Amino acid sequence: MATIHDIAVGAAFNIVTAVAFLLLFAFLRLQPVNDRVYFPKWYLKGTRASPASAGATVAAAKYINLDIRSYLKFLSWMPAALKMPDDELIQHAGLDSVIYLRIYRTGLKIFVPIMILAFALLVPLNWTNDTLESLKVVHSDIDKLSISNIPYGSKRFIAHLVMAYVFTFWTCYVLMKEYQIVAKMRLRFLASEKRRPDQFTVLVRNIPSDPDESVSELVEHFFLVNHPGHYLKHQVVYNTNKLAGLVEKKKQMQNWLDYCQLKFERKAERPTTKTGFFGCFGSDVDAIDYYKSEIEKIGKEEAEEHKKVMKDPKSIMPAAFVSFRSRWGAAVAAQTQQTSNPTVWLTEWAPEPRDVYWNNLSIPFVSLTVRRLIIGVAFFFLNFFYVIPIAFVQTLANLEGIEKALPFLEPFIETPSIKSFIQGFLPGLALKIFLILLPTILMFMSQFEGLVSQSSLERRTASKYFIFLFFNVFLGSIVTGSALEQLNTYLHQSANDIPRVIGVAIPMKATFFITYVMVDGWTGVALEVLRLRAFIMFHLKNFFLVKTEKDREEAMDPGSICLYWSEPRIQLYFLLGLVYAVVTPLLLPFILVFFALAYVVYRHQIINVYNQRYESGAQFWPNVHLRIITALIVSQLLLLGLLSTKGLEEATPALLVLPVLTIWFHKYCKHRYEPAFVRNPLQEVMRKDTLERARERNFDLKAYLADAYLHPVFKSNEVDKFYVADDPGAVEVIVPTKRRSRRITPVQSEDGGSDRLSVMESVQER
Amino acid sequence: MATIHDIAVGAAFNIVTAVAFLLLFAFLRLQPVNDRVYFPKWYLKGTRASPASAGATVAAAKYINLDIRSYLKFLSWMPAALKMPDDELIQHAGLDSVIYLRIYRTGLKIFVPIMILAFALLVPLNWTNDTLESLKVVHSDIDKLSISNIPYGSKRFIAHLVMAYVFTFWTCYVLMKEYQIVAKMRLRFLASEKRRPDQFTVLVRNIPSDPDESVSELVEHFFLVNHPGHYLKHQVVYNTNKLAGLVEKKKQMQNWLDYCQLKFERKAERPTTKTGFFGCFGSDVDAIDYYKSEIEKIGKEEAEEHKKVMKDPKSIMPAAFVSFRSRWGAAVAAQTQQTSNPTVWLTEWAPEPRDVYWNNLSIPFVSLTVRRLIIGVAFFFLNFFYVIPIAFVQTLANLEGIEKALPFLEPFIETPSIKSFIQGFLPGLALKIFLILLPTILMFMSQFEGLVSQSSLERRTASKYFIFLFFNVFLGSIVTGSALEQLNTYLHQSANDIPRVIGVAIPMKATFFITYVMVDGWTGVALEVLRLRAFIMFHLKNFFLVKTEKDREEAMDPGSICLYWSEPRIQLYFLLGLVYAVVTPLLLPFILVFFALAYVVYRHQIINVYNQRYESGAQFWPNVHLRIITALIVSQLLLLGLLSTKGLEEATPALLVLPVLTIWFHKYCKHRYEPAFVRNPLQEVMRKDTLERARERNFDLKAYLADAYLHPVFKSNEVDKFYVADDPGAVEVIVPTKRRSRRITPVQSEDGGSDRLSVMESVQER
């Protein structure tokens, strides 16, 4: 059992590590050479140019910051990160990012008052007992602060009971307020948005096949008949998987060509390569010529495939993006059922063009339900039985196994130092690799399920990941056993006993979770701000590949918020906080430090680093809300289980009311706020339509929407000039200065309005 | 333990009773005097006139059938009932009734092949063992036919396993086919329907209050702005509870007046009554004069209240029926969200006018969720704790209690015969009364929840009643204990053990359920056809009250299918059949007899007796489907529990697959077919709109819809002439000859088309 002293040592160590990371970050970010690692967002926005081109006077100053004064205020980034007001931040980084930050703020809002109350009331109540001492059980000072220190049947438990009510009500109150605010922000965001193609567009799937008409004709006829006066145009979806592969391959070859040419320039010696498998086998050839000819060859194939896709009716998928004359028409089409057969002509709001997940657009209805079943079962097994394959790999990956499979390695492996390394390292390796790969695996599962937008994929994956964390990290740490063993326990215990068994174990695990919060939370967040991976990758690329400003632009990897793996982790802290709020309040300050630190760090990252991949308008908030509610209910059930062993009979019925009320609260919120995240109210779209019609009477919507929903592969094929002239209509207007700036970095006006005008002009010229 | 002989005796007894009832029915229905009891539907349709007015030659023949020959074919009603083809039956009695009959047919379709398979395979397998004999346990011959007769660990269980799969697949197959057919029938029904007000109308609830505009103006402005070109008119909803009360009171007085006048005619002596409480206290007055003056008084009050309601803005509720120019407009408004606040301007399809449950139209959103929570909790307690108040009443209602409360009764009660009667009868009385009242209680609960149509009320109540029957009749008979004790068991046993405990008890309860099926099923259905209550009531009324043809019309009580209490009872038979199909196949023939008998009887009743109160277009089918699926899953889990004690380890995982597949199947069906019962596809309404526009270019829809959604209290106030001219548009067209015929019985042409034309003319004249 850890004593307060142990915890203090652990905390000190973690604080030192975290502070060291932060200091290192503060130092590195000041070096101009790292500018593109720590401030890529500004480069993408076009407001910051490379120091190389900024005309620095001293050569060294290009790479190292020599200004001593700037080092003195090395923590200045923190207040700077907090300064930007929300509205500006939405302009700067989109609503998704701002609402993502709100999750941390919600954490602070929930737990600060809870901590104050818990420390003012529960801690003294727990402390002024001597149950643990009188029982002579092994215990730590931390346990003296927890509920374990209260004697059996004491009336003091009533305080915990009351606190459970207070905490529940406070959490629900904060959650409701937040839901309200987020919903309002979303609506304001949607209302203030400029014209976007997805506002006018509906995605239609499962278009039935017709022997007489092509998909395109069918769509046109169907919507002309059933939405007369509203239908404008449509864009069929092509099966471009092969074409996309070719484009990808060409890009790779181009990369190699660039690399070889750079090598040639430096060494003045023409590099060679082999034509065979991964350049390892086959005959030597001149690399530059080889890659050039390959690129040409693929280019031809690509052009052919392009033609084929556009001509062949078989490459047209039974899905289409249908655009309407007004937002009202699109809102109506998206919210209504089209035919009496609910499995064909499925309509839904089109995701914004860059959010579309193209590969899944053609999956038919029956296949979708089958896929969902398969993934449901697969996820169940992954969740509860994931230890089995890992244990299997572990048994394979022992020394004897390796020696048997690869006998020639035997003398090497038998070296004592290597042997001990393998023995110490290998068994854990499989598990570690699995856990690192897990979010990706879950993402693949979600992709297989057939969702059609990146944002929905991320949300679905986040749900899966949270379930996994809940069973395997949270419950797994408490019940100490794999989820498989747990499953066995749950099945063989009564519904009454499960919360009891887990509840009783909870106070004992407090110290473990405190350590977990410090390592995973504090140090993890401090590592995030350092961006070690991006730092190394950028400098490697910068050293080996970069020759032009454009290359440097491409070497820069701003990354983005990976909602699907970061959000479930935050939820774990909510869960811990709510579960331990009544049981061991000492955990709360550690969680609060995490929330505060993460809030500052992610705010900084969002302002300076991350580049949003899409904008869903905070559609993930209902999921966040649901998971906090889940955590709340779990905490109530576990407290119920714990108190039922403490000799206070009145506690059980009193506590049973809480989950019922919480579930009801959730239902209420769902009815009250969720529609704002799912549907598009007619009043709002009508207002926008009317306004716009009054302002721009002669706007050519058809031209504006022309290529908005064309597969990106068709667009990236065009020359840049064309791309710039054409694509902005689809992408630029949404959040100014996005994709274009990845390729060329024009200095742009901050004002999106004038930008939009120029885009319109360019569109109207066509 | 019941032997086959016991069962045979029981069966014989029940068969004799049932046949006696059927014979009695066959006799009674041939008597002209009972014509209005057993053929009211035809009177309502107007194709049958009272024998009194039919000009019978012999006085006696008016009351008694003297034609001997007709007695010889006394069972002729059965084939007659089966003869009418479905399409004609839909015309005759509406889709709801026909689909209701389909439930019985589904039962036959599911269980006939299952029974054949089970008797061909499982019964011989079970019979050719001697486990029970060798074990020397007390057993009956029936148990020899059941799964109990197979020795522990025998491989023969594999046959049961396979059969469980076969039965599941067969049931799912039938269910899917039925869902498909019902959905198609519903769509065809909706498509073939004539113009109905609800096709054009949307119910809007929770209209926000506005200080500057009245509800009516607000509605008009809102829909003119947000549904331009589609909005036609609206009808506000008045708070008419007081007015309806007055109308009711007036009607009662009128009844009394009629009664007194009749008495006066017969006795030639003016009856008197007392003015006080229920005519028991106060001074004597001349009854006829008194009632006449009372009616006049109430009539005045009514007129005043009527005026007040129409003028006072406070009596206008924040709800309205909004009609659109086309079905398309209504379909769009019903399926879309109107404003960013999802708790105001709630739109939904208007129920047909006679289906509206007016009292609930004004309940605000927050109140609705609170009400749902309250009813949820209340139903939980009703379901699991209903024995507590009954036990309490029972303890009160014993002899000592009565003697204490009402000491003057003591000598009376102490009489031995009365004492034994009370002792034997009283304790069960409270329970009996409760069980009889239960569906009504559940209906009140559903009404409190705030549903706005009779059909949805019935569906909700049916769900509640099924849950109650499942826990208290099905599980209660197996685990033998009140649901409260069961709850205790479930909470204290592991999730694994619950199906085991119940599963093991199942084979032993087979004989009990066979008896149950015979008493409740066979005899119950035979009683239904006799219509004892309606028979007695009609003759009482006929004797005491009837003086004119109109009175006789009103004395007739056709009744209707009470979905909310009859459907859950059918579901209980599905549950029994599915649970026992593998375990004790002997139960199946008894259930089949029930389904067949009930099918014939209810078909007869629907053709000849019941008068549909509303037409929901088979909207209850998804619930029926869901409950059969539930029964299927329960049967799988119980078989799993049973087999897990039989020493066949492989059975558990093999059987676990079944519920997963079944749940997936349900999800698939839900996605595939349920929308047809909930939403209104645009293609269909567009087709109807276009057709109609082409046919009747100048139809005045506004006039047609004028009073369709006026509260019935306003309509019943008007004179009959006005009612006939105005209301048919609202009611007649749906199913010809409905309400009107309750009041006057005109001979109508069978062709609804010409009827509709005349209605239209009358509407256009206005």
Side-chain angles (χ1 to χ4, degrees), chain A residues 226 228 328 335-343 369 373 491-494 496 664 672 679 681-683 686, chain B residues 226 228 328 335-339 341-343 369 373 491-494 496 664 672 679 681-683 686:
Chain A
N226 293 309
W328 194 89
Q335 291 179 62
T336 49
Q337 192 183 326
Q338 305 306 313
T339 69
S340 58
N341 180 349
T343 63
T369 49
L373 172 70
L491 281 179
H492 285 95
Q493 253 157 1
S494 78
N496 250 357
W664 173 79
R672 175 71 184 79
R679 315 185 83 186
L682 293 185
Q683 194 182 28
M686 197 46 136
Chain B
N226 294 308
W328 194 89
Q335 291 179 61
T336 48
Q337 191 184 329
Q338 306 305 313
T339 69
N341 180 350
T343 62
T369 49
L373 172 70
L491 281 180
H492 285 94
Q493 252 156 3
S494 79
N496 250 357
W664 173 80
R672 176 71 183 77
R679 314 185 84 187
L682 293 185
Q683 195 183 27
M686 196 46 135

Side-chain angles (χ1 to χ4, degrees), chain B residues 195-202 232-237 321-323 350-356 358 361 701-715 722-723 725-734 739 763 766:
Chain B
R195 184 182 289 119
R196 277 169 50 166
D198 54 304
Q199 293 166 343
F200 297 92
T201 307
V202 159
L232 180 68
K233 67 173 281 291
H234 69 276
Q235 169 74 57
V236 290
V237 176
F321 290 94
V322 177
S323 299
E352 54 163 352
R354 55 187 171 150
D355 190 11
V356 177
W358 296 93
L361 279 180
L701 193 63
K702 201 160 184 172
Y704 168 73
L705 292 171
D707 284 338
Y709 279 97
L710 207 59
H711 194 293
V713 102
F714 292 125
K715 293 179 181 168
F722 179 70
Y723 179 86
D726 185 40
D727 194 44
V731 181
E732 286 300 285
V733 177
I734 306 155
R739 268 206 196 153
V763 168
R766 292 185 66 232

Side-chain angles (χ1 to χ4, degrees), chain A residues 85-142:
Chain A
D86 263 5
D87 283 340
E88 203 183 319
L89 194 55
I90 293 176
Q91 278 280 323
H92 178 75
L95 187 67
D96 276 347
S97 311
V98 174
I99 301 298
Y100 177 79
L101 289 176
R102 264 207 110 79
I103 306 177
Y104 296 107
R105 267 170 81 171
T106 309
L108 289 173
K109 273 189 198 161
I110 290 177
F111 288 116
V112 168
I114 286 185
M115 186 185 78
I116 292 169
L117 262 182
F119 272 80
L121 292 173
L122 293 183
V123 168
L125 261 182
N126 295 340
W127 180 260
T128 51
N129 283 288
D130 47 7
T131 318
L132 291 171
E133 274 168 37
S134 66
L135 280 176
K136 305 255 184 283
V137 291
V138 188
H139 68 279
S140 69
D141 298 340
I142 288 168

